[in-house]
Structures are given as C-alpha cells and as structure tokens.
Amino acid sequence: MSRLTTSEVRLVEQYVSVLDYLSRCAQAIDGGDWYYLADKADALAHQAQRLAKLSGEVEQTGRRSGRWPRPEVIRAAVAHHGRHYRAARLLHPDQPRGRR
C-alpha cells in the first residue's frame, strides 16, 4: 500500500469513524436497543458533520494546489482499517467482486 498523505490519513480516519457509528446503529436495530440507537445515531451525526467539514477543506486545498487525494489509496486504507465494521465490509470490500 502506498504511503498516505496527511490529508488522506485524515479522510480515512474520519470516514472509518462514520462507518463505525453506522455499523453500531445497524447493531442497535438488529437487537432492538432503541436507547443505544439514539446514542449512536447522535454520535453518527456528529462524525458525519466532521467528515463534511474535512472533505470541504480537502476539496478547497485540492483546488488551490492541484493535488488531490488518491481514491484507490483511500479505498484500500478504508477496506483495511474498516474491516472490523459491518458497514465498511459491505461498502468497501478489500477484494474486488467478480462480474455478475
């Protein structure tokens, strides 16, 4: 895996955090734990808001510098670091799927 830039690391970490809380919400629904769902949904909203702010900063930096985060590197890092979270495994499998 290529070495990640600071911006790429920040994007991966924040996005994996969103996937973590999304997975926790799914777990709460599966178990019918509405208190846990309310708590984790609130945390998900906070983490998603942080991701929105960060992605806006990265976009502005990219426009100014012409250097953009590498999607393939970010996808690989998300697949690796998010492998413990259901949402990450579903959305970003680390092995490409065959054609159907």
Side-chain angles (χ1 to χ4, degrees), residues 96-100:
R97 294 185 182 184
R99 293 184 182 219
R100 295 183 184 198

Side-chain angles (χ1 to χ4, degrees), residues 14-100:
Q14 192 57 46
Y15 182 53
V16 168
S17 180
V18 168
L19 294 171
D20 172 15
Y21 282 102
L22 183 59
S23 297
R24 291 171 191 245
C25 288
Q27 176 186 354
I29 289 173
D30 287 349
D33 189 338
W34 311 120
Y35 175 81
Y36 189 72
L37 176 62
D39 182 56
K40 298 314 167 197
D42 187 50
L44 172 60
H46 176 73
Q47 295 303 322
Q49 202 168 35
R50 290 183 62 198
L51 178 60
K53 182 178 181 208
L54 175 60
S55 61
E57 292 168 4
V58 168
E59 195 274 336
Q60 287 178 353
T61 300
R63 285 188 184 276
R64 280 194 311 273
S65 68
R67 293 189 315 258
W68 298 92
R70 299 162 294 166
E72 66 283 357
V73 172
I74 291 177
R75 279 193 306 268
V78 167
H80 176 74
H81 295 290
R83 68 189 180 278
H84 304 292
Y85 307 115
R86 183 192 316 184
R89 288 191 309 268
L90 290 170
L91 295 171
H92 302 285
D94 52 345
Q95 296 298 320
R97 294 185 182 184
R99 293 184 182 219
R100 295 183 184 198

